[in-house]
Every structure is written in structure tokens, then in C-alpha cells.
Amino acid sequence: MSEEGVVVVASSVAVTSIDEVPGLMERIRPDWQAKNLIERVRRILPVDPSSACQRLFNAAVRDLKDKVLIVGVGIAGEAARAGNPKLPPIQNTEDVEHYSTANLIKLAYRIGLLSRAEWRKMTRVYDIRKDLEHEDSEYEAAFEDVVYTFATCIDAVLSKDPITLIEVSEVKQIIEASGPITLDTRLLSDFEHAPDQRQQEILQILVSTALSGSEADVVRENAYLVLQELRELTRNGVRLAVAKILLDRLGRTPLDELTVRVAHAAGLLPYLHKGQRKDFFAKQLVKLTGIGHRWTNHEEHGPALRLFEEFGGLAEIPNDIKPGIVKWMVRCYIGEPGGYGAGINRRVFYSNSAAPIIEELFLNSRSDIQKVVEDLQSDEDIRRSCGDEHVNRRFQELLDIVSS
């Protein structure tokens, strides 16, 4: 078990004998492959697997220290202070060099050099190393210890390149470009593995820029697009911290469409006050009601409904407002009996501009709105409209969408 009492399962590695373990070492980065230490591990593995495990773990620890130093003493010191419990202070390179192995593994996790699963596995390998180091006469590395140690140290540490700490200035330079912007794979990877502090700095700049009335429109739109790209790579703790800053900035000011669009793009919307979100979506329902759901208002339906995609879809709407908005969309989608005038061959008159957007919204939020849509089968307005078999068929299409 790890120090948190969580059982750690060894990686699935197709190795059936000690002789096959050196094959794992081919995954080690070239710069480590060239070191004498790795060559010594290869030589002693067949005759002394316990020593081989210890030496490989020592190499992984050295690699983690080097990676921490590449990230920088400032970031490392902030990560040491920010955690719970706090780690020993880091003010210079020597502090990192003198860090204990256990604290170094925790620090690497907090910085983002190790995932949570990798942190747990490296902690377990450290326990194995201590057993091998202090109980030589009673404990020798078993086959499973060797495989676990080699697979973890290599896959979690020695196979991975040092991360390049993404700079805030890099992101600012991107969003200030006058033409189309693109984020390359390396920049996305650097952001994903950046420490919480750096992710937060970048997210704050992007949110502030996207909401700024003094920035050029192209810069604000670029910031919005970058937020969308980074949303799934942003850690929840960072989102919460930036959401708190946004809430302090808003105070009691009601949410507007721009703020909700940006908050959703950044993944912050669920962290904003429920009361503010409720008031905002209640206003959206009033807006839809004012437009009307009849097909004759189809020119206004598209712009109004497309905003909901930028608001995070139907899942982000508070539950006490959601039924009203969903009902409006259902009535807009199912339409009314046709077969007269210029549409004499059209059985149902409905909004062509609204229908595909509603289908997409319902499909993307089907698990969240399924019961709301099913409950509308007993709604008086819906039942009256569905008295026409062709209109009813369109309602059944929506039921199929949310129950698929």
C-alpha cells in the first residue's frame, strides 16, 4: 500500500523471466542509455537483481532531481509551501539536492512531474528499495519486485523527457497574433505538465484578456480560443482557484453572456455561484419566451440557441430552470400541423434553423435531460400538440435521442 493506504497494482508487463527484463530498459531515454550506471544495471541484473533494482531506482531519483531543477527553484519552492502537509522549504539548488527521497517523490507529484498514480507507484518502489537495502540477509528481490521496480522507474521517470516550463509570455505572444492561431502539441504538453502555479497564472491572463473591454477584438477572441484548447488539460484545483478570483471580481454583479461564455471555455462555470447561474439562465428563458417557439420566428431561433452551446450545453443549466428551457426547445422542435398554404406538402411546420441545434444539444446532454423530456409526455401543452400524429412523431424522435 501507499502512504495513503491505497492498494497499488503493478503495471501489466508481458515479462515471464528475468532474462526478458532488460527489454524494458530499451524504453529509457537516450541520454540515460549512454550513462555507465545503466550499463552496470544491465550487467548485474542476472546475478544480483536486488542491487540492480536499487541502482535503477537511484537513477530515477537522480532524474527527478534534475527535472525539478529544470523546472526551477521558484516553482519548486511554491509547490513545497502549497501542499498539505508542507514540505521542507526550497530556496536554492542545494535544498533540492538535500531533499529526502520520500519528499522528492511528493514534490515531483505536486509540480506535475509525476501523475497521482505514478507518485503512488514510485512510493511503493521506494518501499521495495528500503526492504532490499536494509534487510539483505532476509529479503531478496523477487521476480515481481524486479518487474514492478523496472516498469515503474522506466515508464514514470526514465523514459520521459524533462518538461519545458511554459512561460506566460509565450501564451501572451500567441494570443496577440494578428492572424489565425494554433497551439502545437509540445506547448499543450508543457501546459498539461506545468505546476499548478503556472497553470493558474496562464489561465488568469487568458480569462482577464477574454473579458477585457480594452483589448482588441482579435486578441480577446484568441484568448477565448486558447481557453477552449486548454480546458481539458487544466487541473481542477487550478480551475477552482481562478474561479474564486473571478467571483471576487464579479461580486454581486449579475452574470452576462460574455462572462458565461468565457467561464465555460475555461471550465470555470460549475464553480460560479449557483444563484448567479440560476438568475442568468432564467433570463435566457425569458429571452426565448419573448422570441417564441413557433416556426414563423425561425430567423431568431438560430442565434439564440447557438449561444447555449457556448454556455456549456443543457447540463450547465440549474435544475430549477432546466425544465422550462427544455420544454421551450421541445415545442420549438416538434412544431405544429402543416399541410396548408405554400407548405401544403409539408406535414409539420417547424423551425428549420432551430431543429438541428436542438438535436445536438439534446444528444450532448441526453443523460442529464432524459427524465425532463420523458416527464413532458404528461405536460398539457405537449399532449395537445401531439394530438397530431406527425407532430407526435417528432416528439418521439426527441425521446429516442435522449434515451439512446
Side-chain angles (χ1 to χ4, degrees):
M1 288 189 178
S2 72
E3 62 184 42
E4 290 195 348
V6 179
V7 175
V8 179
V9 181
S11 301
S12 176
V13 181
V15 178
T16 58
S17 70
I18 290 293
D19 294 337
E20 296 179 49
V21 172
L24 295 174
M25 299 179 68
E26 295 178 2
R27 306 178 194 168
I28 296 175
R29 298 196 316 272
D31 57 316
W32 269 104
Q33 292 278 9
K35 295 181 184 291
N36 291 332
L37 175 58
I38 298 301
E39 183 56 35
R40 287 199 297 273
V41 171
R42 292 182 188 274
R43 289 200 304 267
I44 66 175
L45 177 61
V47 295
D48 190 355
S50 294
S51 294
C53 287
Q54 294 179 58
R55 290 171 186 264
L56 190 73
F57 179 76
N58 290 341
V61 170
R62 180 66 258 173
D63 193 51
L64 283 178
K65 282 186 178 180
D66 292 341
K67 287 174 177 174
V68 169
L69 292 174
I70 290 173
V71 168
V73 170
I75 294 292
E78 178 63 29
R81 290 191 298 272
N84 185 21
K86 294 181 179 180
L87 294 174
I90 295 176
Q91 297 178 333
N92 50 50
T93 300
E94 288 71 25
D95 291 336
V96 176
E97 293 290 351
H98 292 110
Y99 242 49
S100 70
T101 300
N103 285 338
L104 179 70
I105 294 172
K106 292 178 189 174
L107 180 65
Y109 163 59
R110 291 183 183 178
I111 290 177
L113 298 174
L114 296 173
S115 68
R116 186 170 183 82
E118 289 168 342
W119 162 57
R120 289 172 172 171
K121 289 180 180 180
M122 284 296 292
T123 301
R124 172 64 187 127
V125 171
Y126 183 41
D127 291 338
I128 294 174
R129 205 288 297 271
K130 287 187 290 186
D131 289 340
L132 298 174
E133 184 178 25
H134 299 298
E135 302 180 29
D136 288 338
S137 60
E138 302 176 14
Y139 188 93
E140 292 186 0
F143 169 70
E144 57 271 20
D145 293 329
V146 176
V147 173
Y148 194 90
T149 297
F150 272 66
T152 299
C153 289
I154 292 170
D155 291 343
V157 182
L158 294 172
S159 65
K160 295 183 177 180
D161 292 324
I163 66 170
T164 304
L165 188 60
I166 185 173
E167 298 291 343
V168 177
S169 58
E170 292 180 69
V171 179
K172 290 183 68 176
Q173 186 176 4
I174 290 172
I175 64 176
E176 289 171 358
S178 58
I181 61 170
T182 57
L183 301 184
D184 59 44
T185 303
R186 182 174 180 179
L187 187 142
L188 292 172
S189 177
D190 288 347
F191 177 84
E192 181 180 10
H193 295 98
D196 285 4
Q197 178 188 359
R198 183 52 50 85
Q199 280 201 353
Q200 182 176 333
E201 291 169 351
I202 291 172
L203 213 63
Q204 283 179 233
I205 287 291
L206 292 172
V207 169
S208 178
T209 301
L211 292 174
S212 174
S214 61
E215 293 285 355
D217 288 346
V218 65
V219 176
R220 295 172 62 185
E221 186 62 22
N222 285 345
Y224 176 78
L225 294 174
V226 173
L227 282 171
Q228 290 181 310
E229 290 284 332
L230 300 182
R231 179 171 56 213
E232 298 305 320
L233 304 177
T234 305
R235 288 184 284 278
N236 287 336
V238 174
R239 294 178 183 178
L240 179 59
V242 178
K244 287 181 178 178
I245 295 172
L246 180 58
L247 283 170
D248 290 341
R249 171 179 169 174
L250 288 171
R252 296 184 180 277
T253 305
L255 294 174
D256 57 26
E257 292 181 356
L258 174 60
T259 302
V260 173
R261 286 178 66 243
V262 172
H264 169 62
L268 310 181
L269 193 54
Y271 300 101
L272 301 186
H273 285 313
K274 182 179 178 180
Q276 288 176 306
R277 290 187 287 121
K278 177 181 176 181
D279 291 344
F280 172 79
F281 282 105
K283 290 180 181 177
Q284 295 303 308
L285 177 55
V286 171
K287 178 180 175 181
L288 291 177
T289 303
I291 293 172
H293 58 77
R294 294 197 66 220
W295 63 274
T296 51
N297 302 314
H298 62 91
E299 291 183 357
E300 297 179 75
H301 291 159
L305 290 173
R306 273 190 288 273
L307 282 173
F308 281 88
E309 298 172 336
E310 300 181 4
F311 297 156
L314 305 181
E316 296 291 354
I317 303 174
N319 289 334
D320 35 8
I321 304 297
K322 190 176 300 179
I325 291 179
V326 170
K327 178 180 175 179
W328 187 96
M329 292 184 181
V330 168
R331 298 187 74 181
C332 185
Y333 183 88
I334 63 178
E336 59 190 66
Y340 59 86
I344 192 170
N345 295 319
R346 188 169 178 175
R347 297 294 187 180
V348 180
F349 292 158
Y350 62 88
S351 173
N352 288 335
S353 59
I357 303 174
I358 293 172
E359 286 179 358
E360 189 71 16
L361 287 168
F362 277 38
L363 182 64
N364 292 336
S365 304
R366 57 187 180 276
S367 61
D368 191 69
I369 64 169
Q370 180 178 354
K371 187 177 186 305
V372 177
V373 178
E374 290 176 345
D375 287 347
L376 287 174
Q377 294 177 95
S378 57
D379 179 87
E380 182 178 345
D381 294 324
I382 302 300
R383 287 171 61 91
R384 185 183 305 111
S385 296
C386 289
D388 180 270
E389 61 174 310
H390 303 292
V391 173
N392 182 59
R393 187 174 296 121
R394 290 187 60 77
F395 181 55
Q396 297 304 316
E397 291 174 2
L398 289 180
L399 287 172
D400 289 342
I401 288 174
V402 298
S403 62
S404 61

